[in-house]
Structures are given as C-alpha cells and as structure tokens.
Amino acid sequence: MSKVNEKSKQESVSLRDKQYKIVVDNIRKVYDVRSQNGQDNEEFLAVDNFNLKVKKGEFITVVGPSGCGKSTFLDILAGLSKPTSGNVYIDGKPITGPALDRGIIMQGYALFPWRTVEKNIEFGLEIKNIPKEKRREISKKFINLVGLKGFENRYPHELSGGMKQRVAIARALAYDPEVLLMDEPFAAVDAQTRESLQEELLNIWEKTNKTIIFITHSIEEAVFLADRVVVMTANPGRIKEIINIKLSRPRINSQIRTSQEFNSTRNRIWELLHGNDDKKQVEVSV
C-alpha cells in the first residue's frame, strides 16, 4: 500500500470513529517459536481477528483463559509490540510505539528500589522535564489521592504490597496519561487488600475520567470494575463476547457482590469461559 493510500486510510479511520478514544482494527499477532523437535521454527498465532472500540473515560476489563493473548493485546496497546497485521488507534492516530499518552501498571509494581515513594511518583514528570517544585506539587496531590500521605519518604521495601501498588497507580497517573493499561495489577495481594484497591481504583477513575483497559483472571473483579467486559477465547485469542455491565455506580464491594445483577453477570461470563461454543463476536447487555 502506498504512503498516500495509508494516510488516506488513517484519516478515514479518524473521521469514522472520532467518538472513540481507542479503536482496535482487526489485529492479528503471530510469533515465530521453536518447534517441538527443537530444530525448526513454526508460527504461533497468539491473537486473531481482534476488534474493539473504546469510548473516552470508559472502563474496560478483559478476561480469558491463561495463554489466550490478553497480555499480548495489552503490549500492542502499549506500543511494546507491533501486530502482525491490523492497526490500533488512539484519537484516530496509529500507535507506533510507547508514548506518554499511555500509563502502564503491571502486577509486579516495577518500582525503583532506590527511590522514595515521592521520587518514584515523580519519575514520569522528570522525563517530561517538569520543574522540581511543580513535580513536588503534583506528586503530593497523587500521594493524597491514593491514601499514602505520611509515607512520602519511605522506600519500596518499607511498604506492603497494597501500598506498593498504590505508588504504581499514583506514578502512572501523575504524568497525566490519557489511557491507563493495567495487567493484573492486584493479583499479588491478599483478598481483603484486593477489594480495597478495587474500590480505591474506581474512586480514582471517577475523579480523573481516565480511559482504562484492565486485564484480570478474576471474573468477580472484571464485573465489579467494568463498564464492559471483553471475554476472550482460548488460543488463539479472539473476542468471544462483549458484555455490558448495568450495575449502578458508585460501586461498593459489600453491596454489589450480593446483588442478583452481579451474580447473574458473573455466571454468564463463567459459562462463556467454560463453554465449548465458538460464537462469533457479539455484544450483549446484562
């Protein structure tokens, strides 16, 4: 395809889908892997025929079997990996690599052990060449937002798992990305802390109006957090179904998890993940 045609295609995508923050257009990802005999290479199809449109400020969760390509999809959104075919757009512009319009939060915190809480949060601001006094003002704001006031000068090894994850969230928010990409960020903490962090994240999301793509293995977590849940098939990863979550907001764990709506939605997703049908991508309301 010529550069002129490619430019025309990108402009048409921008015009057609301008109401969406993120447009995932038929991406496919193939890896070259070592074959069983260990001597030859063969193709491994990780993600296939993946299409998704996300509105600004929407909270999307993604669930699927282990190895279905959830993290591969997130890597492509982050610009850390390129699709073999297809395109991903943010505000109509194709993703060509990592950029500060996306914040990434991983399961393993990825904090700098030699930096205090305050200095970890300021890291992205330093990259953006924000003046020192302004950095301190911004970091203070987000330290308060995630409930870590009084821990500014602690180092990561002095914090609990839940506190570390709060620092990671604050660091991602501090440099003001438009999109947050979260890969099982609460998987390593205990159940009680996990529920607390879920409510904390929703509180932050409601205040900041960020667009969030959140990967999880927990059906309950997916339903509790999301506007929509994307259910993926086993390898190769395709979208099996997209379920609209009609639970009211704001959401509190103790109230939501006992409701009929929550349980019927959770059961529906469980059936999709454990069923043997190969439905094409559909969108349903629950």
Side-chain angles (χ1 to χ4, degrees):
M1 182 181 291
S2 69
K3 290 184 178 180
V4 174
N5 288 339
E6 182 65 27
K7 182 179 179 181
S8 176
K9 179 183 176 184
Q10 291 171 7
E11 288 174 349
S12 67
V13 168
S14 177
L15 290 171
R16 184 183 65 206
D17 296 319
K18 62 182 180 180
Q19 73 270 38
Y20 295 104
K21 186 69 179 177
I22 301 170
V23 175
V24 182
D25 183 20
N26 199 31
I27 61 170
R28 187 172 191 264
K29 180 65 177 181
V30 178
Y31 292 101
D32 285 328
V33 297
R34 184 72 65 184
S35 65
Q36 291 289 348
N37 62 27
Q39 298 177 355
D40 304 309
N41 285 341
E42 59 186 20
E43 290 188 344
F44 173 76
L45 180 58
V47 175
D48 187 38
N49 190 31
F50 201 106
N51 295 277
L52 181 66
K53 295 178 181 179
V54 181
K55 293 181 179 179
K56 177 178 172 57
E58 197 170 13
F59 200 129
I60 301 293
T61 56
V62 183
V63 297
S66 294
C68 73
K70 298 186 296 296
S71 293
T72 296
F73 165 59
L74 208 71
D75 285 346
I76 291 171
L77 279 179
L80 300 173
S81 177
K82 293 184 178 180
T84 304
S85 61
N87 292 285
V88 183
Y89 303 87
I90 291 184
D91 292 327
K93 300 176 182 179
I95 291 175
T96 57
L100 291 176
D101 61 352
R102 282 150 279 154
I104 306 172
I105 302 171
M106 303 293 190
Q107 177 180 336
Y109 318 124
L111 301 179
F112 299 114
W114 59 89
R115 282 178 170 250
T116 63
V117 166
E118 182 180 64
K119 294 302 181 182
N120 263 288
I121 292 171
E122 290 181 8
F123 179 71
L125 301 171
E126 291 175 16
I127 293 176
K128 294 180 75 173
N129 295 316
I130 303 296
K132 184 176 180 179
E133 289 304 314
K134 185 65 176 177
R135 291 202 307 264
R136 187 168 297 170
E137 177 186 333
I138 294 171
S139 68
K140 181 179 179 180
K141 171 187 172 182
F142 285 99
I143 284 169
N144 291 337
L145 186 64
V146 299
L148 286 175
K149 185 177 180 180
F151 293 88
E152 296 90 338
N153 296 315
R154 299 284 184 92
Y155 288 90
H157 73 272
E158 298 176 300
L159 305 175
S160 68
M163 286 179 172
K164 290 176 185 176
Q165 201 55 280
R166 284 186 170 92
V167 177
I169 292 170
R171 181 177 62 184
L173 289 168
Y175 64 85
D176 198 25
E178 298 172 27
V179 176
L180 279 183
L181 306 174
M182 308 184 76
D183 194 356
E184 297 195 71
F186 306 149
V189 299
D190 63 87
Q192 185 176 354
T193 302
R194 186 170 187 155
E195 291 187 4
S196 175
L197 286 171
Q198 289 166 2
E199 291 182 356
E200 199 73 54
L201 177 60
L202 286 184
N203 181 50
I204 292 167
W205 170 70
E206 286 162 4
K207 290 179 179 177
T208 61
N209 196 37
K210 300 296 182 186
T211 305
I212 297 180
I213 308 293
F214 188 106
I215 304 295
T216 180
H217 272 103
S218 168
I219 298 174
E220 289 81 4
E221 183 169 69
V223 174
F224 177 73
L225 293 172
D227 292 318
R228 291 187 293 157
V229 178
V230 175
V231 183
M232 292 181 65
T233 64
N235 176 261
R238 300 184 177 100
I239 295 180
K240 190 170 192 177
E241 198 159 313
I242 302 176
I243 296 181
N244 291 333
I245 305 300
K246 295 300 184 180
L247 299 168
S248 61
R249 295 188 186 275
R251 296 177 188 168
I252 300 172
N253 265 303
S254 59
Q255 298 173 2
I256 292 294
R257 290 178 185 268
T258 57
S259 69
Q260 182 179 349
E261 292 86 353
F262 179 89
N263 285 289
S264 63
T265 307
R266 180 194 59 193
N267 292 342
R268 172 62 178 147
I269 295 172
W270 189 94
E271 289 170 357
L272 287 168
L273 290 173
H274 292 83
N276 295 317
D277 58 300
D278 292 319
K279 294 179 182 178
K280 293 181 180 179
Q281 177 176 336
V282 219
E283 186 153 345
V284 300
S285 298
V286 177

